[in-house]
Amino acid sequence: MIGIDLGTTYSAVGVVESGFPILLANEEGRRVIPSAVWFGDGAVEVGEKALRRRGVSPVVTSVKRLMGRRPGEVDDFPLPLDEGDRVRVLGRTPEEVSAEILKELKRIAEWRLETEVRKAVITVPAYFNDAQRSATKRAGELAGLEVARIVNEPTAAALAYGLDKLGEKARVAVYDLGGGTFDLSVLEMRDGVFQVLATRGDTRLGGDDLDAALAGWCAEKAGAGAVDGRMIKEAERVKRALSADGEAVFRVPFVDGGESIEVAATRRDFEHLAAPFIERTIDCCRRAMHDAELSPADLDAVVLVGGSTRIPAVREAVSAFFDREPDLSQHPDEAIALGAAIQAGVLTGAVRKVVLLDVTPLSLGIETFGGLMNVLIPRNTTIPAKAGEMFTNAVAGQRSMSLRVLQGEREMARDNWRLGEFEVAFEPAEKGRARVGVQFRIDENGILEVLARDTATNRDTVLEIRDAAVDVDDEKVETMVSESVEHAFDDMAERVFTEARLKAEELLPAVEAVLSQGDGIVPEEEVAGIREAEATVREALDSGDANRLKAAVESLDKATEAVAARMVERAMEEALERRMGG
């Protein structure tokens, strides 16, 4: 079994040999190959060969940014995207393009190992949603691989970092800034167990964005038109040069068939352009540390991985936030693939005494009556995980229940992301009598399966997550979490009010029905108090004040406690009389 880092910009493949993880190099001696694919007339080229075609014919790069996405969700891809029911580039789906990269990695492994390779562990960003993970798994299958496990990239990097520290206890933050994605994961290592405590990230933030920003700045300085692929490639070169030198010259000949561009850029210019992107990564760090309930002083190390961590400004920002020099012991481009290889070795038994416990980055639940979000699996739950709950019909005679599966951190269903929806049919019954059990199961790859069971018939319905599980841009993942903090008080107030309103709407008709019976079950001295509590509830409903309504409902509930007890007692007596009479 092999381990694969399927990266936005570069990819690599590794294996455990004689107990040690190693990366496998291609015929040119390269252990890391560009994630680039060229499609010709019946021919396909991958890696450096594909990049040599750039400028002459279209070459697909950064296809990882398209994985699990719907048409209309991508507006910054370097090549035109085809219109239709699915995202396609050059007439191919992102999975089909990614499969070509995986086929090349599989070929390299088979050539080096001199044996057929059938199974693989593939890494993904920690913040990849269910659709993106499923798309990655499909790409592996298209490449002829059985994907035995999908591992989060920062977790893989932590495995590579901690393999020689299995006897120690340590808390480590892994800062992973690659070509297209960013993740910060906080892990605890203890006696060979790697547990993810918290993770935050942005699947639309990486070195590609810095290249685009630098290319745009240079084009503007030169008075050029639109930025093209050659400018992006040159910007990448200049960015790398500025990590070593204080100044570099951006040169692109014959732009639009006219004059050449030549712009001098300093490291300070680049750092100014990169500052907002770097700050976004630090914001993720801040939130992950808060989720883990740790301070920087509680960490034993901050490990940097991903090619973009070579940028001096990135290292300085990380050092300032965590108040320590980052650990640079891991190769930025190779650590994740090594971690994937280690995980593959764990699954095959080649590496022992290592256990990997990952987490889900966002809460999962369903919409319940009143438009509330009912969380079944909270954010940062260790996976694999399984959780279930029983739900009943809200209306008498109801024949089915619509289940809306949600992902997010907001209290109201409308503010979260809908993953899918399906109907569960059942026999009509009185209110609260039909029962449907709902189970969420997240496997070790972070892929979700939802099962609903009618308890009367034991008939199961399973939700199939379609190509795009989250109908929202990936960059809004962080916005979702930050908005949950920003609107926490308002959201909770609305939830409290909604729950109290539902209780009031159930209680008021019942109270009215009892008071109108006139059968002596409510003594006159209690009627006035109940009527007063009832009026208070109605006034609170009109006010929209959550705490006021909650208190009013509780008062009405308390005022009718004695009546409810007498009704239960009378019902029992009547049942006993019928039984004795029978």
Side-chain angles (χ1 to χ4, degrees):
M1 189 185 300
I2 57 175
I4 292 175
D5 171 16
L6 182 61
T8 306
T9 313
Y10 292 94
S11 296
V13 59
V15 70
V16 172
E17 286 270 288
S18 303
F20 294 97
I22 58 170
L23 294 194
L24 303 172
N26 63 10
E27 292 85 343
E28 298 172 356
R30 299 177 186 272
R31 295 192 298 271
V32 177
I33 67 168
S35 300
V37 184
W38 171 83
F39 295 96
D41 188 13
V44 178
E45 291 181 353
V46 177
E48 290 290 347
K49 290 181 179 178
L51 288 183
R52 294 184 193 116
R53 302 271 187 176
R54 193 152 62 177
V56 179
S57 59
V59 175
V60 184
T61 57
S62 302
V63 72
K64 188 171 177 176
R65 285 193 162 185
L66 301 180
M67 296 290 275
R69 308 292 295 281
R70 285 181 175 174
E73 290 182 349
V74 186
D75 55 9
D76 58 352
F77 198 70
L79 292 177
L81 301 178
D82 303 336
E83 297 294 330
D85 59 334
R86 300 185 64 186
V87 172
R88 283 184 171 81
V89 57
L90 302 183
R92 295 165 178 84
T93 66
E95 295 95 319
E96 290 169 339
V97 177
S98 296
E100 297 299 337
I101 300 170
L102 293 171
K103 284 178 186 176
E104 174 64 8
L105 295 172
K106 180 176 183 286
R107 185 197 66 78
I108 292 170
E110 291 178 335
W111 173 65
R112 283 291 182 189
L113 299 174
E114 298 181 342
T115 185
E116 184 183 4
V117 172
R118 296 178 181 174
K119 295 184 179 181
V121 169
I122 303 178
T123 62
V124 296
Y127 252 61
F128 252 27
N129 61 42
D130 186 79
Q132 292 165 311
R133 291 169 188 268
S134 296
T136 303
K137 197 169 184 179
R138 281 199 300 276
E141 291 164 356
L142 288 173
L145 291 166
E146 178 188 334
V147 183
R149 182 87 183 262
I150 288 179
V151 177
N152 288 343
E153 289 166 2
T155 308
L159 281 172
Y161 167 80
L163 188 61
D164 59 345
K165 304 175 178 64
L166 297 183
E168 303 175 18
K169 176 185 175 183
R171 290 193 183 114
V172 178
V174 179
Y175 179 103
D176 177 10
L177 183 60
T181 60
F182 170 73
D183 284 299
L184 189 286
S185 290
V186 184
L187 302 97
E188 185 170 76
M189 302 181 297
R190 181 186 299 178
D191 299 326
V193 176
F194 288 67
Q195 180 168 5
V196 181
L197 303 180
T199 185
R200 290 285 180 134
D202 190 330
T203 55
R204 299 286 300 282
L205 175 60
D208 289 355
D209 300 285
L210 302 180
D211 297 342
L214 181 57
W217 181 82
C218 291
E220 185 179 347
K221 282 281 186 184
V227 173
D228 61 17
R230 289 191 304 155
M231 293 183 188
I232 296 291
K233 182 66 176 174
E234 175 65 2
E236 182 184 0
R237 184 196 66 79
V238 171
K239 175 188 70 176
R240 290 169 182 262
L242 291 175
S243 290
D245 304 316
E247 185 172 336
V249 179
F250 178 94
R251 293 188 180 91
V252 180
F254 309 117
V255 175
D256 295 329
E259 296 183 1
S260 301
I261 290 179
E262 188 167 308
V263 178
T266 65
R267 180 182 291 181
R268 187 171 181 179
D269 292 330
F270 176 65
E271 288 177 349
H272 178 73
L273 293 169
F277 298 100
I278 296 173
E279 180 53 37
R280 281 166 60 186
T281 72
I282 297 301
D283 187 52
C284 289
C285 297
R286 191 175 293 114
R287 294 174 186 276
M289 294 298 290
H290 178 269
D291 290 345
E293 299 181 352
L294 297 174
S295 70
D298 296 322
L299 297 175
D300 295 289
V302 179
V303 180
L304 297 191
V305 292
S308 297
T309 59
R310 290 186 175 91
I311 298 170
V314 170
R315 295 183 175 182
E316 290 166 9
V318 172
S319 177
F321 175 77
F322 288 101
D323 195 25
R324 71 174 68 231
E325 286 301 312
D327 186 300
L328 307 177
S329 62
Q330 300 306 298
H331 191 293
D333 298 322
E334 299 181 359
I336 292 169
L338 284 173
I342 293 168
Q343 181 59 34
V346 170
L347 295 179
T348 60
V351 177
R352 301 185 184 278
K353 298 183 180 178
V354 175
V355 179
L356 176 59
L357 301 176
D358 221 327
V359 297
T360 178
L362 290 171
S363 298
L364 295 155
I366 70 168
E367 179 177 351
T368 55
F369 193 61
L372 298 172
M373 165 70 158
N374 188 71
V375 173
L376 271 70
I377 298 180
R379 182 165 59 92
N380 284 334
T381 295
T382 300
I383 59 173
K386 187 163 61 175
E389 196 166 322
M390 194 71 71
F391 296 92
T392 63
N393 56 325
V395 180
Q398 190 175 334
R399 292 178 175 274
S400 67
M401 185 182 297
S402 179
L403 289 179
R404 294 185 180 91
V405 181
L406 307 171
Q407 183 177 32
E409 304 306 315
R410 303 290 296 275
E411 296 293 336
M412 305 305 293
R414 66 169 185 270
D415 297 320
N416 293 300
W417 306 329
R418 185 178 298 182
L419 298 185
E421 180 177 355
F422 60 113
E423 291 284 326
V424 181
F426 46 77
E427 291 299 314
E430 296 177 23
K431 178 182 177 181
R433 297 299 295 273
R435 297 184 180 276
V436 174
V438 177
Q439 177 182 278
F440 278 26
R441 177 180 173 273
I442 306 179
D443 66 14
E444 62 275 8
N445 300 315
I447 295 174
L448 174 67
E449 178 185 86
V450 182
L451 179 145
R453 174 173 295 168
D454 175 8
T455 58
T457 63
N458 281 333
R459 187 169 56 240
D460 291 344
T461 307
V462 179
L463 174 65
E464 294 180 1
I465 301 295
R466 292 181 291 276
D467 291 335
V470 181
D471 189 14
V472 66
D473 286 340
D474 288 339
E475 63 189 9
K476 293 182 180 176
V477 172
E478 264 304 306
T479 303
M480 156 63 70
V481 183
S482 61
E483 283 181 354
S484 73
V485 176
E486 181 183 345
H487 299 289
F489 291 109
D490 292 339
D491 283 1
M492 185 52 69
E494 186 173 359
R495 185 181 190 97
V496 169
F497 183 84
T498 301
E499 289 174 341
R501 175 178 59 78
L502 293 172
K503 176 73 174 173
E505 290 173 351
E506 183 179 346
L507 199 54
L508 288 173
V511 168
E512 190 60 43
V514 171
L515 293 179
S516 63
Q517 282 180 10
D519 56 0
I521 199 167
V522 186
E524 284 298 324
E525 60 269 21
E526 291 183 17
V527 172
I530 293 174
R531 286 294 188 193
E532 184 179 344
E534 179 188 18
T536 303
V537 169
R538 295 188 187 279
E539 290 171 5
L541 275 169
D542 294 336
S543 74
D545 187 315
N547 292 329
R548 181 180 171 187
L549 178 58
K550 183 180 180 183
V553 169
E554 288 174 353
S555 296
L556 179 57
D557 208 16
K558 190 171 183 179
T560 56
E561 274 181 0
V563 178
R566 284 194 293 272
M567 290 180 69
V568 170
E569 188 177 327
R570 177 181 290 187
M572 290 177 66
E573 289 174 356
E574 290 175 352
L576 184 60
E577 287 174 5
R578 285 194 299 271
R579 187 174 178 184
M580 295 292 289

